[in-house]
């Protein structure tokens, strides 16, 4: 069990560019979550997958955001046409029960 | 809408003294409540959860939390604090029914344990 892995750890991009983050959950976990955390705030829910099905999406997830989980394994979160307000830590978590296991996150900075 | 409040941005306590980190919730129906801890440069780690049963829940590293339905609170406690407990603590909750799998987190409380 290597835990939840997220790649990259840090991403610096220019406004208007597209970025994609990857999350590798714990292998036996069928549930996968994406959260966003800004300084001084708690994590905010973005979206939830059960296996390959995306079952919930937050209103925070604008049309510029898309997430996938092909074959119910790893997941990707893409942000198109990034804006400065997208700068945040993007957290992935996986679970098979109520207990979530979080990755270390991807810190996005939009210049 | 569900919400979780942590009224203290920071809590300072001397090593060996008891600590309390406060949390109140607003969740429809029966709540699922959690505490997570975040150390610098590391992901959030699960401490404990309340789903049903005894109001006093025991978790990792000697922490416990008391569910109080009448006060809608779920305060985190430890009888004797350690310097290594210094970290950022998050309370989180969701509804048992109808809330989906969306966990709502509080804004976090920075715990500082000093010698």
């Amino acid at each position: 069990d290597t835990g939840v892995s997220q790649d990259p750890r840090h991403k610096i991009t220019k406004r208007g560019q597209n970025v994609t983050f990857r999350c590798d959950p714990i292998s036996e976990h069928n549930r996968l979550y994406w959260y966003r955390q800004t300084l001084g705030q708690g994590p905010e829910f973005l979206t939830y997958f059960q296996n390959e099905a995306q079952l919930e999406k937050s209103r925070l997830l604008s049309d510029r955001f898309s997430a996938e989980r092909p074959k119910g394994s790893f997941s990707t979160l893409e942000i198109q046409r990034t804006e400065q307000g997208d700068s945040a830590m993007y957290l992935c978590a996986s679970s098979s029960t109520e207990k979530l296991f979080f990755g270390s996150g991807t810190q996005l900075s939009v210049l | 809408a569900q919400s979780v409040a942590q009224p203290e941005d920071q809590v300072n306590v001397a090593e060996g003294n008891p600590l309390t980190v406060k949390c109140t919730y607003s969740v429809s129906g029966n709540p699922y409540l959690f505490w997570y801890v975040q150390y610098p440069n590391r992901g959030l780690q699960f401490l404990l959860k309340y789903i049903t049963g005894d109001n006093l829940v025991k978790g990792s590293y000697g922490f416990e939390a008391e569910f109080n339905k009448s006060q809608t609170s779920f305060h985190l406690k430890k009888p004797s604090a350690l310097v290594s407990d210094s970290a950022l603590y998050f309370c989180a909750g969701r509804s048992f029914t109808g809330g989906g799998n969306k966990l709502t987190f509080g804004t976090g409380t920075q715990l500082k344990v000093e010698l």
Side-chain angles (χ1 to χ4, degrees):
Chain A
D1 177 6
T2 57
V4 177
S5 298
Q6 291 189 245
D7 184 68
R9 291 294 300 272
H10 304 275
K11 179 69 177 178
I12 299 174
T13 191
K14 293 182 179 179
R15 189 175 55 185
Q17 297 294 305
N18 299 344
V19 294
T20 300
F21 310 140
R22 178 181 169 118
C23 172
D24 286 274
I26 293 172
S27 57
E28 61 267 28
H29 288 177
N30 60 345
R31 304 175 192 177
L32 187 145
Y33 308 78
W34 285 97
Y35 283 81
R36 180 172 67 186
Q37 186 177 18
T38 54
L39 202 60
Q41 299 296 318
E44 294 175 296
F45 173 82
L46 292 178
T47 191
Y48 160 68
F49 289 84
Q50 183 153 329
N51 299 313
E52 66 274 13
Q54 188 175 20
L55 298 183
E56 284 186 67
K57 286 175 65 174
S58 166
R59 293 173 191 173
L60 293 174
L61 220 62
S62 75
D63 291 344
R64 296 184 298 106
F65 287 72
S66 63
E68 294 182 343
R69 192 183 182 197
K71 301 179 182 178
S73 55
F74 71 93
S75 176
T76 58
L77 177 68
E78 181 183 17
I79 309 175
Q80 295 182 328
R81 305 181 302 282
T82 52
E83 302 173 356
Q84 288 186 326
D86 297 331
S87 296
M89 176 73 82
Y90 289 83
L91 301 171
C92 177
S94 70
S95 74
S96 57
T97 64
E98 291 297 327
K99 176 180 174 181
L100 300 188
F101 291 79
F102 282 86
S104 297
T106 293
Q107 181 67 55
L108 174 66
S109 298
V110 182
L111 304 179
Chain B
Q2 52 195 33
S3 65
V4 173
Q6 294 181 244
E8 303 154 317
D9 290 336
Q10 182 161 320
V11 169
N12 297 324
V13 65
E15 188 175 52
N17 283 1
L19 69 87
T20 298
V21 182
K22 295 179 180 177
C23 172
T24 59
Y25 66 90
S26 174
V27 172
S28 58
N30 295 320
Y32 283 8
L33 298 167
F34 304 82
W35 278 99
Y36 283 83
V37 59
Q38 189 172 37
Y39 296 99
N41 300 316
R42 296 179 64 180
L44 282 87
Q45 296 176 34
F46 171 85
L47 274 182
L48 51 80
K49 67 182 179 186
Y50 170 83
I51 294 179
T52 187
D54 289 340
N55 290 342
L56 186 64
V57 178
K58 294 190 182 296
S60 308
Y61 313 120
F63 284 92
E64 58 190 28
E66 186 169 10
F67 171 66
N68 188 316
K69 188 171 184 177
S70 62
Q71 296 185 3
T72 62
S73 67
F74 189 56
H75 301 331
L76 181 70
K77 300 181 180 184
K78 186 173 182 180
S80 179
L82 298 172
V83 171
S84 58
D85 293 329
S86 299
L88 186 57
Y89 290 81
F90 289 97
C91 183
R94 73 169 182 90
S95 174
F96 175 73
T97 55
N101 287 275
K102 171 187 172 182
L103 259 189
T104 298
F105 283 81
T107 52
T109 298
Q110 185 69 50
L111 174 66
K112 188 174 182 181
V113 182
E114 298 167 313
L115 291 170

